[in-house]
Structure formats: structure tokens, C-alpha cells
Amino acid sequence: MLFKTKLLFLVLIFSCSYFNAQNKKTIFKGKIIDSLHIVANANIINLKTNQGTFSNDNGIFRIRTSKNDSLKISAIGYETKFFVVKAHHLNEDINLIFLMSKTYQLDEIIVKKHNLIGSLAIDFKKTPVDKNIELVDKIVSDIKKMDFYAISKTPIGIDEAHLMKADIVRLPNNRFEGMGIKSSSSFAKDTSFIEKLEEENKIAKDILSELGDYFFFIELKIPKNEYNNFFDYCLYKDIVNLYKKNQTLKVIQIFRKECISFLKLIKKK
């Protein structure tokens, strides 16, 4: 009787250990490919835990999962795929996941006559430039040429009133104060403002280069001439600091969310 009791006890311990091992979270290893190539920078999200990651340059990724968790795999130019993790997937050295290319129907393209002659050196000078980026560069250049005191006296527009911070009122304590002469701290503040504009302008270009025209102008449907306005529209979400911290996934999520209200706003113009 004592032997049977001990045997039953050991069986129960083994069963509990096995059950816990089966339900314990582990690492799922996968490689994303299409019919011809690997797929880098694909977005993988565990829908149960909301944890996410990206595939590397070799299409490989690792993510913490449990049995029966669902993974959402998406990439620009491919159809989104949902993958259910089974027990045998967790024992594989690598799991191959295939993505299907997505076909898009583009709007009608009108080809106009051009004056190009076939010479790269000459035709390059005739190539149209992005007027928005050129305009921003000119504004930043003009601001850098302005007098710091003139910048500080620039009136605040009605749409910028919420950004205005009241200055501390100081009574003159010597003959120089109250005569329009600014302190060194004020000059530092003006310089910091210009540097911030330049940094935001640079990051706007870097993000456009990294995520690509397809993401902004096809997937999010942002008009090309509204890209800079859309970037400024999302600044309150701290996208600059997030991007500098390499949290690109959060930046993408912010763009996807904010584009809805932004498109509604520009339609009312």
C-alpha cells in the first residue's frame, strides 16, 4: 500500500511538471521568405502578448510565444499573414514562413512631353525638385541668417498660441536691463530653437528615406505635397525621440493611427 501511494505521488509530480513545461513560454524562431527572396524588416506581433519584433537582413526573427499563440506577420508590399504556433513549431531550429506579394492597382499615369536630351549632366539640372523640401531648407536657411533679437520678437500666430509660454517679468536692476539687450541665456535659447528645427527637418528626411515612398504615399495615402505637414502633425506624439531611440515600430504605429485624422483634416481645406 505504501509503495502504491509513493508511485501515485511521483506520477502526479511528473504530470504537473510536464503540464507546466508544455505551457511555459519559449522562443519561436522563424525565417520569412517569398517565392524568390528573403523578406527583411517584416513586422511580427504576438497577438496574445502584444509583443513585437522585426526580421533581420537575413529574414530571421525570434519572439517569445506559447503554444497556440497567434503571430501577425506583415511587410510592405506583401499580404498580411496570421500564423498559429503549434507544439512542434517550438521544437524546430527554424520555421519557414512564406509571404505572398501584394498587387496594387495604381491610378492612371499621364505621360507628358519632356525636354530631356539624354545627357545625365544636363538633364539632371532640368529634373524637377521636391518643392516642399526645398521650401523647408530655405526657411531654415533664412532663420539662421536672422538676428536673434528679431527672432525673439517674431509675433506668435493664432494657431501657435497654445505653444506660447509666458515670460518672467523682471524689473531692471541695473542700467542695461530693460533697454532691449538680451542675456546670454536668451541667445542660447534661440540657438537651441534653430538646432531643434534643423534636427526635425533632418529626421523627417531620414524617416521618409527609411520607410519609403510606398509606405507614406501608397499605404497611408498621404499626398506627397503634404508629407512635411503630416510629419509636423505627428510631432506631439514625440516621434523624434522615439526614432532617435530606434523605436521604429512605435513610430510606424503612430503614423498609421494619426494618418486617419490627418486625412480628414486636409479634406476640409
Side-chain angles (χ1 to χ4, degrees), residues 2 14-15 49 59-60 87 111 119 123 147 153 157 159 176 178 195 212 220 226 233:
L2 181 60
F14 176 78
S15 298
T49 63
I60 296 174
V111 179
S119 172
D123 291 343
D147 178 69
K153 296 302 181 182
D159 57 341
F176 296 106
E195 291 174 349
L220 299 187
E226 293 287 351
Y233 183 81

Side-chain angles (χ1 to χ4, degrees), residues 10-262:
L10 292 174
V11 170
L12 289 173
I13 292 177
F14 176 78
S15 298
C16 292
S17 300
Y18 179 79
F19 178 79
N20 290 333
Q22 291 297 312
N23 289 276
K24 185 178 180 181
K25 289 185 176 180
T26 186
I27 300 298
F28 177 91
K29 292 166 286 187
K31 183 174 183 178
I32 303 176
I33 60 176
D34 60 15
S35 58
L36 297 174
H37 310 93
I38 62 175
V39 181
N41 296 319
N43 181 20
I44 303 96
I45 297 179
N46 186 329
L47 297 179
K48 184 176 180 180
T49 63
N50 287 327
Q51 292 183 335
T53 187
F54 287 92
S55 58
N56 62 18
D57 292 339
N58 297 315
I60 296 174
F61 70 92
R62 296 170 181 265
I63 191 169
R64 189 173 295 276
T65 63
S66 297
K67 178 183 175 182
N68 295 326
D69 283 2
S70 293
L71 302 180
K72 179 182 177 182
I73 301 101
S74 60
I76 296 176
Y78 294 91
E79 294 182 359
T80 299
K81 184 169 186 176
F82 294 90
F83 186 92
V84 179
V85 179
K86 300 298 182 182
H88 67 273
H89 293 140
L90 301 176
N91 297 322
E92 296 289 343
D93 291 335
I94 199 78
N95 294 278
L96 291 179
I97 300 177
F98 293 85
L99 292 185
M100 296 291 293
S101 297
K102 193 172 183 179
T103 303
Y104 292 90
Q105 184 68 37
L106 299 179
D107 295 334
E108 180 183 1
I109 298 176
I110 300 176
V111 179
K112 297 182 178 180
K113 183 179 178 180
H114 59 75
N115 297 320
L116 303 181
I117 63 173
S119 172
L120 181 61
I122 298 175
D123 291 343
F124 179 77
K125 297 179 180 179
K126 298 181 179 180
T127 302
V129 297
D130 190 325
K131 296 298 182 180
N132 289 326
I133 295 179
E134 187 179 63
L135 179 60
V136 171
D137 290 340
K138 183 178 184 305
I139 292 174
V140 173
S141 177
D142 291 342
I143 290 176
K144 292 170 69 175
K145 296 176 183 178
M146 291 178 65
D147 178 69
F148 287 137
Y149 183 73
I151 294 175
S152 68
K153 296 302 181 182
T154 301
I156 300 296
I158 188 170
D159 57 341
E160 300 173 320
H162 64 288
L163 302 175
M164 186 174 180
K165 182 177 179 181
D167 295 329
I168 299 175
V169 178
R170 299 181 58 193
L171 296 176
N173 52 17
N174 57 53
R175 62 178 179 175
F176 296 106
E177 291 191 9
M179 297 178 63
I181 299 178
K182 300 188 68 176
S183 64
S184 60
S185 62
S186 298
F187 284 104
K189 185 185 297 183
D190 291 334
T191 303
S192 176
F193 171 75
I194 295 174
E195 291 174 349
K196 182 179 179 182
L197 285 179
E198 292 178 329
E199 181 185 47
E200 290 176 353
N201 184 40
K202 179 180 181 302
I203 289 180
K205 294 179 180 178
D206 291 344
I207 290 178
L208 179 60
S209 176
E210 180 175 341
L211 300 185
D213 291 356
Y214 188 91
F215 173 73
F216 286 102
F217 308 139
I218 301 298
E219 187 173 349
L220 299 187
K221 299 181 180 179
I222 301 297
K224 285 188 177 182
N225 61 341
E226 293 287 351
Y227 169 73
N228 289 297
N229 291 333
F230 176 61
F231 181 85
D232 293 340
Y233 183 81
C234 298
L235 282 177
Y236 81 101
K237 287 289 188 177
D238 203 29
I239 56 175
V240 171
N241 288 329
L242 290 174
Y243 183 76
K244 288 165 63 177
K245 295 177 181 178
N246 295 321
Q247 297 185 25
T248 310
L249 177 59
K250 290 186 178 180
V251 175
I252 291 174
Q253 292 172 342
I254 290 172
F255 283 145
R256 291 184 187 278
K257 181 179 179 181
E258 296 299 319
C259 74
I260 298 174
S261 57
F262 178 78

